[in-house]
Amino acid sequence: MSVHTKSPLTACRSRGLAGNIRVPGDKSISHRALILGALSVGETTITGLLEGDDVLATADALKALGASIERGDDGTWHVHGTGVGGFQDPRAPLDFGNAGTGVRLMMGVLASQPVTARLTGDASLSGRPMGRVLAPLQRMGAQWQSDGETADRLPGIMKGAEAPVPITYTLPVASAQVKTAILLAGLNTPGITSVIEPKPTRDHTERMLKGFGADIRSQTLERGAVQISVKGHVELSPRAVQVPADPSSAAFAIVAALITPDSELTLCDVMLNPTRDGLVRTLIDMGADINSVNRRDAGGEEIADLVVRSSKLRGVDVPPERAPSMIDEYPVLAVAAACAAGTTRMRGLAELRVKESDRLAAVATGLAAAGVAHRIEGDDLIVDGGTVPGGATVATHMDHRIAMAFLTLGLAAESPITVDDATMIATSFPDFETLLRNAGAQISADPEARS
Ligand code: S3P
């Protein structure tokens, strides 16, 4: 594990954010596009790929397993796959850095082919539970040997099944990563592999597998549950993937524009998949002035430009059913709630405890440092909004979204907010600082900016 040097960043009260911003490509779609390209025979091209550390780690892992992946001078990525089940043993450990999505999806890919690989990650990733993915994959025949802190942690050695067996698995937690890992393992498993999801989670895998020619079906069961089934040993056909802008990255710029006076920002090409749009729906409930224009289809996903203007927000009650459609957006929703009049109650946030950090604790500690009244009751976060004093340094715990959320809060706080370490922002949104600064946000690495 490499030594990590912290790099602080400070955000100061700003006004008048303006312009057109195109945030980078969606992280979930970028991982999946590389993986499905690597499992196809022939050339897949990807435009708009998120060139963040998380996604680049997945690309490196796929190369080490035998796929050829190159970036052209025009920014288009070219993937020549090995076909389903065509990977070879990597010569060195596969290092997934900070990326839970990367490692969990790749565990699925490896689980059903006769490949042995050592999987590693940074300190944050090595503290995250892998058992939720390993349990179903072990039932399919994969073997896992950990030398991490506990048996379900990285680092460890994954040995894919020689003769994988199909399963039907009901998700115990609403997790698109777990669903995807099983479906990817199903691609090289004879027969039909099924996942039953009691609550809907992001469906990019299903959409993209269809696009690559997989035999995949979804069937609605009782009480809104959905069974997704994939047939194994069907060859995938390469295709051209256009990656839309990531709504989870756009979220920071959207909230920045809402809470900063005299702002009007346009966020271009933002994906509005209904399994991902919970934050925009919630902000509109809070009174946000957000208009979606130019709605269109981009490679199987609906996208639009979002015009966002400064707004007087009011507190709302966010139901637990909405959590999967905005699971990565709660830190920045808490920021919007801190600037809103009245109380916002965000219900059912247990999953936040196992993200890149314990996000529930990290958000609460950050709000406390910034002088925002809040409490945690069970799995709910309650924020009493109003004026934000700021004047604090917030610990980011190797979590990109904690860093970006509290920098966003600093734009509206009375005194500046510093995050102790902004390096992890590069995992998902490498040009965050530049894009927001160009729009007029006062964000700087210079400690003098605090005076
Ligand atoms: C992701 C699913 C979510 C999300 C993560 C990306 C994906 O995780 O938090 O950033 O691409 O499938 P869970 O599946 O653990 O909810």
Side-chain angles (χ1 to χ4, degrees), residues 26-29 31-32 101 104-105 128 132 174-180 201-202 204-205 248 276 324 327-328 351 354-356 359 400-401:
D26 186 70
K27 182 156 74 71
S28 296
I29 293 187
H31 282 295
R32 286 158 173 80
T101 307
R104 291 190 178 124
L105 268 46
R128 296 181 67 185
R132 53 180 56 200
S175 167
Q177 292 177 357
V178 179
K179 168 175 69 177
T180 304
T201 65
R202 63 190 71 195
H204 311 303
T205 305
S248 300
R276 296 285 299 281
I327 195 64
D328 292 336
E351 275 296 296
V354 290
K355 294 298 177 186
E356 284 81 333
R359 278 192 184 150
H400 54 134
R401 299 203 200 278

